Amino acid sequence: MPPDQRRGRRATGRLLAAIALAAFVVLVSVSITGGFTIRAGPLHLSAHGWRTPLLVALAALGAVGLSGRAALTDAFSAAWPWIDDHAAACALVLAAAAAGVGVAHGTYSASSSDASGYISEARLIASARIADDEPLAREVAWPNATWAFAPLGYRPGRDAGELVPTYPAGLPLAIAPVRLLGGELAAYLVVPILGAVAVFATYGAGARLHSRGAGLAAALLLATSPIVLFQVVQPMSDVAVTAWWTLALLFALSPVPNGPLAAGATAGLAVLTRPNLLPLAAVVALAVMNFPRGRHERRLRRDRLIAFVAGIIPAVGALFLVQWRLYGSPLTSGYGTASELYTPGNIGPNAVAYAQRMLDGETAALLLAVAALAVLAATRGRPVDAPPLKRPLVLAAIALAIVVASYLPYGVFAEWSYLRFLLPAFPLLFVLIGALFAAALLRLPLPIRAAVFLGALAAAASVNVDRARQEQAFNMRRFESRYSLAGRYLASSLPAGTVVVTGQQSGSARYYANLPILRWDQLDVDFDLALAALRAIGRHPVLLVEDWELPQLARKYPRSANARLDWRPRAEFGEETRVFLYDPDDRGAARTWRADRVK
């Protein structure tokens, strides 16, 4: 056979093998999830049955097999080097997909406590302020009046009427310039972008600590992690702090001269975002010094540590100064002092809770690790030129220990979503799992490595996405829309002299309507007396209450006629959780108008 014809047949065989592998990946995904639809602009790709991908895979395999067993082996053997050569491009696609989930399914709402706190703090910083002021707290003669006028996400400052953010400034500092350049909508793109950074930095860290295959597997596990998909759609700090720590690790592992300085500066952003995880800087510092030493490294690079410390010191100093200014002590955060936040009695319940959340939320990653360990144990002694596992194992163990130790004594929460607290340790944990997986694959025959690699990762991704769907990660916009709907309605319908009496909606109501709020759950005076006091100073109170808050309000003020809310509301918002707007002037009055139902 002429050389040109031989090369053509080889190229055709490899193309058919690629088609068979792609069909196999689709088959695995459909078998687990029941089908999927991908929309990207004009592109529309869907698969909801197993028969078509199975037939395509069999047809492609049969076509390659017609050329003989050698051609079949050659075609599938070439797939593994191709994956290794194009791993960075595949990781970039995964990073873009993670950002795409955040953009497509984002809440775009300053909701609840966290989201409204971060978004409103970014607006403060964009206006060159770090605290807000509420003059009404100085006009009433109530005890703890500033607390009562502080919305969710804020607390009293050092002076009466001063409202200071509860949350650290790291994420708002990242959002503020984007908001100034692109407006309010652009502010909600910061977390998806940082999600993409976290995914690609995880690939880079895995590639440097072990291999490109390990990095790609780790990037996929992070990009499809249910808790990542749940958080990347919300303007909260969990994905952001994970991105900064992972990027710092990547800079630390980089051989470029200024890598340690960049690692320190990026770690500083992580500290500003989540101060209690400052001890994680030790992991980055160890990586900066090349600890544990790699195969070709003779000594630790302590000289690089100086540049790392120089990079992180400005952020740590800024954190202490801000906390000193806002909370009265450089060691006190917006959440309170360490003695107020941490209790040894929480360690036991949290250990059980986090273990259960990991089993429920990261089942696919844990099963992949177990399968890889089983293959390594079964093929022990087989000589393979594989990168050592020591570095990812040591760094992942230290990072996980630090993060877990930071949150075991912290508050006990019932919701699965609080697995997000452990998220900063996930990139290194997934790098370790990816390294185990890549090492196990090297023990398998070359022709089947690509099929096992793609099939296992497709199964893991499918399980993860299905779990995220069960946790309503892709429906968060609908759930959280009640905050922006109510807030924008208040902004358009209420006069300037209004005070919004509310609880759960306090952060979003103040943000959207730019009106004073009064927290009924923080009042230390009689409810009716407080409403009368507001009227006495020329303010008109209205009540904004969620359906689950109605009985709580009545129980807190059992003698208050206003707290019973036994008249028709002026407006209703939301679907699953309903929000009602009441005007106390309507109590007992004849109603000739219908309530607005805002969707």
Side-chain angles (χ1 to χ4, degrees), residues 244-481:
W244 295 133
W245 279 122
T246 313
L247 191 59
L249 177 66
L250 181 59
F251 285 138
L253 296 169
S254 172
V256 300
N258 290 326
L261 184 65
T266 312
L269 291 173
V271 172
L272 287 172
T273 304
R274 193 69 66 79
N276 67 307
L277 292 181
L278 174 60
L280 263 183
V283 177
V284 183
L286 292 173
V288 162
M289 295 188 295
N290 297 323
F291 177 88
R293 287 174 290 179
R295 182 181 297 175
H296 305 295
E297 295 156 352
R298 297 182 179 178
R299 62 185 180 87
L300 295 179
R301 294 289 306 277
R302 294 182 178 86
D303 56 306
R304 289 163 55 92
L305 186 60
I306 298 173
F308 171 75
V309 173
I312 198 173
I313 278 178
V316 175
L319 172 69
F320 287 160
L321 287 174
V322 170
Q323 291 187 161
W324 196 356
R325 159 64 182 85
L326 296 181
Y327 315 119
S329 169
L331 300 180
T332 300
S333 72
Y335 301 106
T337 63
S339 60
E340 295 171 334
L341 296 173
Y342 297 102
T343 303
N346 293 339
I347 294 176
N350 272 334
V352 174
Y354 283 119
Q356 186 62 51
R357 289 173 190 143
M358 282 294 294
L359 290 172
D360 291 341
E362 300 301 331
T363 305
L366 296 176
L367 288 176
L368 189 64
V370 170
L373 288 170
V375 171
L376 290 173
T379 58
R380 184 185 302 172
R382 183 177 298 178
V384 176
D385 186 20
L389 294 167
K390 181 180 178 180
R391 293 194 76 188
L393 175 61
V394 171
L395 293 177
I398 296 173
L400 186 61
I402 289 173
V403 174
V404 169
S406 298
Y407 285 107
L408 283 183
Y410 195 55
V412 179
F413 303 95
E415 293 83 1
W416 164 85
S417 62
Y418 281 93
L419 181 61
R420 63 190 175 88
F421 286 161
L422 305 188
L423 193 51
F426 279 20
L428 268 173
L429 179 62
F430 290 156
V431 164
L432 174 60
I433 293 173
L436 290 170
F437 182 43
L441 286 173
L442 293 178
R443 304 289 181 93
L444 302 179
L446 179 60
I448 68 169
R449 287 179 192 169
V452 173
F453 182 80
L454 294 175
L457 292 186
S462 299
V463 170
N464 281 344
V465 171
D466 194 52
R467 174 63 179 171
R469 185 182 296 114
Q470 293 174 26
E471 294 294 341
Q472 305 300 318
F474 309 120
N475 290 322
M476 290 299 294
R477 181 187 298 177
R478 190 177 82 249
F479 296 150
E480 302 294 277
S481 64

Side-chain angles (χ1 to χ4, degrees), residues 16 24 38 93 106 123-124 161 235 278 288 306 334 364 373 392 417 468 510 541 546 552 590:
L16 290 169
F24 173 62
I38 300 174
V93 172
R123 185 170 67 179
L124 269 180
L278 174 60
V288 162
I306 298 173
L373 288 170
S417 62
R510 184 177 175 92
E546 297 202 342
Q552 296 183 8

Side-chain angles (χ1 to χ4, degrees), residues 67 71 83 108 148 167 215 260 274 286-287 317 320 386 388 396 403 424 446 448 477 514 529 535 572 597:
S67 299
I83 292 173
Y108 298 95
Y167 300 110
R274 193 69 66 79
L286 292 173
F320 287 160
V403 174
L446 179 60
I448 68 169
R477 181 187 298 177
N514 202 25
L529 181 63
R535 292 190 183 95
E572 299 179 21
R597 183 77 175 98

Side-chain angles (χ1 to χ4, degrees), residues 43-58:
L43 178 65
H44 181 91
L45 177 65
S46 64
H48 295 279
W50 56 269
R51 291 182 178 83
T52 299
L54 177 61
L55 291 174
V56 170
L58 291 176

Side-chain angles (χ1 to χ4, degrees), residues 4 11 65 75 104 135 137 146 172 191 241 248 257 263 265 287 311 313 355 366 434 448 466 536 548:
D4 290 344
T146 305
V191 169
V241 72
I313 278 178
L366 296 176
I448 68 169
D466 194 52
W548 58 271

Side-chain angles (χ1 to χ4, degrees), residues 440-530:
L441 286 173
L442 293 178
R443 304 289 181 93
L444 302 179
L446 179 60
I448 68 169
R449 287 179 192 169
V452 173
F453 182 80
L454 294 175
L457 292 186
S462 299
V463 170
N464 281 344
V465 171
D466 194 52
R467 174 63 179 171
R469 185 182 296 114
Q470 293 174 26
E471 294 294 341
Q472 305 300 318
F474 309 120
N475 290 322
M476 290 299 294
R477 181 187 298 177
R478 190 177 82 249
F479 296 150
E480 302 294 277
S481 64
R482 68 186 190 273
Y483 294 96
S484 56
L485 284 173
R488 295 184 193 281
Y489 181 89
L490 298 181
S492 65
S493 63
L494 297 183
T498 305
V499 176
V500 183
V501 183
T502 185
Q504 181 68 17
Q505 290 275 332
S506 57
S508 52
R510 184 177 175 92
Y511 175 78
Y512 287 110
N514 202 25
L515 292 170
I517 64 92
L518 177 65
R519 292 271 302 276
W520 62 263
D521 55 326
Q522 293 290 342
L523 269 176
D524 287 337
V525 297
D526 179 76
F527 190 63
D528 291 344
L529 181 63

Side-chain angles (χ1 to χ4, degrees), residues 198-230:
V199 170
F200 196 72
T202 298
Y203 162 76
R208 292 193 178 279
L209 287 172
H210 189 267
S211 63
R212 283 177 283 190
L216 182 56
L220 180 135
L221 291 175
L222 187 69
T224 63
S225 168
I227 193 61
V228 170
L229 295 176
F230 190 85

